[in-house]
């Protein structure tokens, strides 16, 4: 097991991720059952009918390469998750809030994180954060500028993890699964940095926030995020974002000179 206070397990190499294979099907099913049990412990009512995802849907995801498994240093499968690049009809439904990216944009700008499940003995050991890091990498490699997730309203632990990783709470959506069950979920989205290290947000606010006070940087980051969203929603594009960035830099320079 990872030693205490040695640093993030994902950085130290205690965990590895790989696409699931057909041989992983039974273990992946067991991990999903652990997730359903956790939902019950949190007071989440999933309904009394068939569980989601179905065995057929899980196998289809494995064949498509969208389901991934996490193994510890001993090769034991301790967690799983899925990253999808296909349009999710539920995200096309009205949201009580606003997504960070345009749902109707072509090509689709976001990937989707689903089916995060961690075995009980592996919890509180950095596995959840490792999953989110890997999901970011997969989405970025797929050419997406953001990644979305939807969480049960009573799933506080997962909501806390997403927010700690930098996901923005975007609002409440109504999910209708393949069995016709309707549930209210909290929608989250996280903007991804490109390989150059900049996200669309950084086009507007590119100041080295590490040199600012933490509290001030946090407020400025959120304000810039709002500006970036407004520009993108209006179709302003990269050129307008760059102009906004130059104006911000000019004002910062005048402020430091004065």
């Amino acid at each position: 097991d990872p030693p205490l206070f040695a640093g993030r397990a994902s950085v130290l190499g205690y965990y590895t991720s790989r696409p699931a294979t057909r041989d992983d099907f039974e273990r992946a099913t067991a991990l999903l059952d652990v997730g359903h049990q956790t939902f019950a412990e949190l007071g989440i009512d999933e309904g009394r009918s068939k569980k989601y995802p179905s065995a057929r849907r899980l196998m289809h995801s494995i064949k498509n390469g969208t389901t991934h498994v996490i193994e510890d240093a001993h090769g034991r499968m301790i967690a799983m998750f899925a990253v999808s690049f296909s349009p999710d009809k539920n995200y096309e439904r009205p949201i009580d809030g606003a997504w960070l990216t345009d749902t109707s944009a072509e090509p689709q700008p976001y990937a989707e994180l689903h089916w995060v499940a961690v075995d009980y003995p592996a919890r509180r050991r950095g596995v959840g954060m490792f999953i989110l890091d890997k999901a970011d990498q997969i989405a970025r490699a797929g050419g997406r500028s953001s990644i979305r997730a939807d969480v049960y309203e009573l799933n506080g632990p997962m909501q806390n993890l997403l927010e700690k990783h930098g996901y923005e709470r975007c609002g409440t959506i109504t999910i209708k699964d393949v069995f016709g069950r309707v549930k209210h979920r909290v929608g989250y989205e996280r903007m991804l940095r490109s390989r150059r290290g900049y996200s669309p947000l950084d086009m507007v606010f590119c100041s080295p926030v590490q040199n600012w006070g933490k509290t001030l940087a946090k407020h400025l980051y959120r304000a810039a995020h709002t500006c970036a969203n407004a520009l993108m929603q209006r179709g302003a594009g990269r050129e307008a974002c760059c102009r906004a960035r130059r104006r911000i830099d000019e004002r910062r320079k005048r402020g430091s000179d004065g």
Side-chain angles (χ1 to χ4, degrees):
D1 294 330
L4 295 176
F5 309 111
R8 285 179 59 177
S10 57
V11 176
L12 296 174
Y14 289 103
Y15 307 129
T16 57
S17 172
R18 61 173 175 80
T21 66
R22 293 187 178 186
D23 294 337
D24 299 319
F25 176 79
E26 290 187 4
R27 178 56 178 156
T29 300
L31 286 170
L32 288 172
D33 287 338
V34 171
H36 292 304
Q37 184 176 345
T38 301
F39 288 157
E41 294 170 356
L42 292 171
I44 298 171
D45 180 15
E46 294 187 275
R48 298 181 180 180
S49 56
K50 297 180 181 179
K51 295 180 180 179
Y52 179 82
S54 64
R56 181 178 179 181
R57 187 176 182 87
L58 174 60
M59 181 58 76
H60 182 70
S61 175
I62 291 175
K63 290 179 180 179
N64 288 342
T66 56
T67 292
H68 300 259
V69 298
I70 307 298
E71 295 177 334
D72 63 13
H74 303 287
R76 297 175 296 200
M77 191 188 304
I78 56 175
M80 64 168 289
F81 66 99
V83 176
S84 174
F85 293 94
S86 301
D88 190 325
K89 293 182 179 180
N90 287 309
Y91 292 160
E92 297 175 1
R93 299 173 182 271
I95 180 173
D96 182 16
W99 293 110
L100 302 184
T101 56
D102 185 358
T103 301
S104 61
E106 293 291 344
Q108 179 178 308
Y110 61 89
E112 303 138 21
L113 174 64
H114 297 295
W115 308 349
V116 175
V118 181
D119 204 1
Y120 283 109
R123 295 183 181 179
R124 297 185 180 278
R125 295 181 180 275
V127 181
M129 195 61 70
F130 177 77
I131 289 175
L132 298 185
D133 285 338
K134 286 298 178 181
D136 286 353
Q137 295 174 19
I138 294 169
R140 191 182 298 111
R144 303 304 165 91
S145 60
S146 75
I147 184 167
R148 295 182 181 182
D150 56 87
V151 185
Y152 280 110
E153 293 176 309
L154 294 180
N155 192 350
M158 188 62 188
Q159 293 182 37
N160 292 336
L161 181 65
L162 291 173
E163 292 173 6
K164 182 178 180 180
H165 189 64
Y167 278 75
E168 293 276 345
R169 187 185 180 108
C170 296
T172 304
I173 59 176
T174 300
I175 296 293
K176 187 175 183 180
D177 64 24
V178 294
F179 303 116
R181 296 174 297 197
V182 175
K183 301 290 183 180
H184 297 293
R185 308 285 286 266
V186 181
Y188 281 89
E189 188 167 10
R190 167 177 161 81
M191 300 302 298
L192 300 174
R193 293 182 179 274
S194 67
R195 293 181 179 179
R196 293 182 61 187
Y198 295 97
S199 68
L201 168 59
D202 295 313
M203 296 178 189
V204 176
F205 183 64
C206 284
S207 304
V209 295
Q210 61 269 26
N211 294 330
W212 292 67
K214 291 183 178 180
T215 302
L216 177 60
K218 183 177 180 180
H219 288 294
L220 290 173
Y221 195 81
R222 287 180 176 176
H225 203 163
T226 302
C227 294
N229 289 339
L231 287 170
M232 286 186 289
Q233 289 174 1
R234 294 176 182 176
R238 181 183 179 89
E239 183 178 354
C241 290
C242 290
R243 287 200 301 270
R245 173 191 167 185
R246 287 195 295 269
R247 287 197 296 270
I248 291 174
D249 289 341
E250 290 172 359
R251 291 182 181 179
R252 279 191 57 209
K253 185 177 180 179
R254 287 200 299 269
S256 60
D257 292 342

